[in-house]
């Protein structure tokens, strides 16, 4: 039996999922679809927020679908509710996974990632 706390098991499952080639491919496909929406300026247009919210929604659905196969909904909801309180613990457990996940849910990091992707692929 795994002695790892349930919230850490959920975080590590998410970190594993976002490291998978399929997940990365889906993210890049989304970036390609919206790459021309973003400009490298300090101004943030309303459509940036709309794209970001769509991205977060899609990623949440992908993650939740995978998590629901291994964890019950109450555990997943508790993980989300307490995520910010435990960020340091998750970052210490898997820094790359944490940085990637935080990049998905933080608008400024998302914008920086999509602009970097745009610069690398144009």
């Amino acid at each position: 039996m795994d002695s790892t706390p349930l919230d850490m098991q959920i975080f590590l499952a998410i970190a594993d999922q976002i490291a998978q080639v399929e997940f990365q491919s889906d993210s890049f496909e989304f970036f390609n679809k919206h790459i021309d929406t973003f400009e490298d300026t300090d101004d943030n247009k309303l459509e940036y927020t709309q794209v970001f919210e769509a991205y977060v929604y899609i990623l949440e659905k992908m993650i939740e679908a995978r998590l629901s196969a291994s964890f019950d909904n109450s555990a997943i909801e508790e993980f989300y509710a307490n995520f910010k309180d435990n960020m340091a613990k998750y970052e210490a457990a898997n820094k790359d996974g944490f940085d990637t996940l935080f990049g998905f849910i933080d608008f400024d990091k998302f914008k920086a990632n999509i602009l970097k992707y745009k610069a690398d692929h144009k």
Side-chain angles (χ1 to χ4, degrees):
M1 184 170 170
D2 192 346
S3 63
T4 305
L6 188 57
D7 69 315
M8 186 60 73
Q9 290 178 40
I10 292 171
F11 171 74
L12 293 174
I14 293 170
D16 180 59
Q17 181 180 1
I18 61 180
Q20 299 298 316
V21 172
E22 179 183 356
F23 192 90
Q24 296 294 323
S25 176
D26 289 345
S27 293
F28 293 145
E29 183 179 318
F30 186 93
F31 279 19
N32 279 327
K33 182 177 178 183
H34 298 282
I35 201 168
D36 292 324
T37 303
F38 288 80
E39 298 171 357
D40 194 3
T41 66
D42 289 337
D43 294 333
N44 289 320
K45 300 177 183 176
L46 178 60
E47 63 187 319
Y48 294 2
T49 303
Q50 294 167 335
V51 169
F52 174 68
E53 288 173 352
Y55 184 68
V56 169
Y57 178 80
I58 291 167
L59 294 180
E60 283 178 350
K61 292 302 171 195
M62 290 170 57
I63 290 169
E64 286 175 7
R66 176 138 183 230
L67 289 179
S68 66
S70 302
F71 304 98
D72 63 53
N73 286 339
S74 63
I76 295 168
E77 292 302 320
E78 186 174 333
F79 169 80
Y80 287 141
N82 296 312
F83 180 78
K84 286 189 176 188
D85 294 337
N86 294 306
M87 288 185 352
K89 176 173 78 169
Y90 301 138
E91 184 175 19
N94 185 325
K95 181 159 178 36
D96 290 339
F98 177 84
D99 288 346
T100 302
L101 180 60
F102 200 70
F104 293 150
I105 61 174
D106 179 84
F107 175 78
D108 292 330
K109 286 185 182 255
F110 171 79
K111 183 180 176 186
N113 286 340
I114 203 165
L115 288 172
K116 181 180 180 332
Y117 183 83
K118 181 177 183 177
D120 291 347
H121 292 88
K122 284 282 179 163

